[in-house]
Amino acid sequence: MGCSASWWIQTLCVCFIPLENAAVQVTVRYSRLEVVQGEFVLLPCAFVTTSPLSRLNIIWTLAPFSNPEAPIQVIVYDHGQVIEDPSLTGRVGFADIPWTADIILNDTQISDAGIYRCMVNNPPEAGDPGIAELVLSVIMPPSLPVCQWAGDVEVGGSVTLSCVVGSGTPTPEIQWAKLNPEEISLPVNMEGDLSGSVQIVNMTSATSGLYRCSATNPLGTQNCYVNLSVYSPSESSPGILQGVLLTLSMALVLLALLAVALWLHRTGPDGRWRDAKEQREEEEEEECYNEIRYTPTLMKRSFV
Ligand SMILES: *[C@@H]1O[C@H](CO)[C@@H](O)[C@H](O)[C@H]1NC(C)=O
Ligand SMILES: *[C@@H]1O[C@H](CO)[C@@H](O)[C@H](O)[C@H]1NC(C)=O
Ligand SMILES: *[C@@H]1O[C@H](CO)[C@@H](O)[C@H](O)[C@H]1NC(C)=O
């Protein structure tokens, strides 16, 4: 029993010594907070003081992750007056002043992320002001990535598929996959944090298909797609082949026509000559022989 009594006394002493020395006791319920961009967050800061609250002074400061060298005074409570930083006017306010130093931050932005410090002073309570710190992270889902391709989409060619995601906190992970015939993931070359590309070399017709880039962080996934159609020179040549074949067949037809024309030229006159010859031969019997013999050769010559 004596043992436990001395433990109690010790504990009480430990509790009271800081109170006597330093003034206002400040505590935060959480030292780390996370909020989704656009939502509100309550930054807790409770204090204990023995003096009346008429001269209470509270100062909240922020060292933003985006610019730690330039801390700002988020909001100040002094003698019953509230002063906000102009950049936060309308978005920040005390939740239950003067009973706590909690503040509410509305419509949170990525730039709100950083180390917040709550400092409470309550004269005439002596000693240093009570100070507490907490870290606020503002997270946001990935934005819609942009997919692009560049290169030769023909058999044997190579293509680069690139994917750029504008924003996302924490930084989204970029992945590429070919979706058909079955889904396979592809090795991604990262260019910076927000851009990832895939190199496809020596393409075959099997390279054709739908490709997906996905940007993922704990808040979600966004996708964009590239539909690649690899053409082969043999696939494209039917047009050329058809053209060649058409020209060839036209040439053949022309040749045939020419041959027919030549044949007609040769046979036609001869045929007519034969008719004429027969006629002449009939006439020949009544008329002169000499005349008839010369005529065919003359006619032949004139036709050839
Ligand atoms: C934050 O938003 C809530 C709800 O819209 C509103 O009631 C409150 O006044 C806002 N606080 C500040 C500091 O603007
Ligand atoms: C491209 O693929 C063909 C057929 O698979 C192969 O013969 C050739 O060596 C490849 N060329 C390169 C540069 O990889
Ligand atoms: C991809 O392109 C091919 C050929 O252009 C087409 O047949 C197919 O439907 C497309 N797929 C998608 C998902 O758009």
Side-chain angles (χ1 to χ4, degrees):
M1 287 301 272
C3 191
S4 80
S6 72
W7 180 83
W8 268 108
I9 289 159
Q10 269 185 359
T11 314
L12 286 171
C13 287
V14 166
C15 288
F16 276 114
I17 288 162
L19 273 178
E20 278 167 23
N21 276 9
V24 186
Q25 292 297 293
V26 169
T27 52
V28 291
R29 277 193 303 271
Y30 318 101
S31 58
R32 292 192 155 270
L33 281 171
E34 204 172 70
V35 63
V36 176
Q37 186 201 30
E39 295 184 355
F40 81 93
V41 64
L42 185 137
L43 306 180
C45 179
F47 62 87
V48 177
T49 179
T50 53
S51 302
L53 297 173
S54 56
R55 290 170 67 192
L56 180 67
N57 173 273
I58 300 168
I59 300 173
W60 274 92
T61 60
L62 162 64
F65 289 145
S66 53
N67 192 3
E69 306 307 316
I72 60 167
Q73 278 197 354
V74 174
I75 194 166
V76 173
Y77 179 87
D78 191 40
H79 290 80
Q81 264 203 314
V82 175
I83 303 150
E84 304 145 17
D85 184 272
S87 69
L88 294 167
T89 303
R91 284 209 297 128
V92 67
F94 283 101
D96 196 13
I97 201 79
W99 314 115
T100 81
D102 298 355
I103 56 170
I104 291 174
L105 196 54
N106 274 349
D107 186 21
T108 47
Q109 314 288 309
I110 293 293
S111 57
D112 295 339
I115 299 166
Y116 285 79
R117 176 177 282 197
C118 165
M119 198 159 64
V120 182
N121 216 348
N122 192 29
E125 193 152 314
D128 296 333
I131 295 176
E133 271 187 1
L134 64 85
V135 174
L136 178 69
S137 306
V138 180
I139 56 179
M140 63 186 284
S143 61
L144 195 66
V146 176
C147 284
Q148 279 180 324
W149 66 269
D152 294 329
V153 271
E154 62 177 27
V155 167
S158 56
V159 155
T160 302
L161 306 178
S162 63
C163 178
V164 178
V165 56
S167 57
T169 311
T171 304
E173 188 190 351
I174 292 181
Q175 286 172 320
W176 272 101
K178 186 177 192 294
L179 297 184
N180 42 21
E182 74 253 10
E183 188 170 330
I184 46 164
S185 60
L186 305 167
V188 178
N189 308 313
M190 290 304 295
E191 293 122 26
D193 278 346
L194 297 173
S195 171
S197 67
V198 161
Q199 192 83 29
I200 305 173
V201 294
N202 202 9
M203 298 197 293
T204 67
S205 55
T207 313
S208 293
L210 198 60
Y211 291 77
R212 180 191 62 204
C213 166
S214 50
T216 307
N217 78 3
L219 288 184
T221 297
Q222 295 272 17
N223 300 315
C224 60
Y225 301 87
V226 168
N227 188 4
L228 219 56
S229 303
V230 180
Y231 68 89
S232 61
S234 63
E235 268 172 28
S236 73
S237 60
I240 298 167
L241 254 177
Q242 271 172 13
V244 169
L245 284 176
L246 199 69
T247 316
L248 272 177
S249 49
M250 280 174 73
L252 280 173
V253 167
L254 277 174
L255 273 174
L257 281 173
L258 201 68
V260 167
L262 278 174
W263 180 79
L264 279 177
H265 275 299
R266 281 186 180 276
T267 55
D270 282 359
R272 262 179 268 158
W273 168 66
R274 269 187 212 120
D275 291 344
K277 192 182 171 189
E278 274 164 25
Q279 270 185 340
R280 301 269 164 118
E281 273 170 2
E282 281 166 21
E283 291 163 15
E284 192 181 77
E285 287 166 358
E286 295 153 29
E287 292 177 38
C288 179
Y289 282 99
N290 289 342
E291 249 188 81
I292 296 159
R293 270 182 200 164
Y294 283 100
T295 323
T297 42
L298 277 172
M299 286 177 78
K300 235 180 174 176
R301 270 180 198 150
S302 70
F303 275 106
V304 173

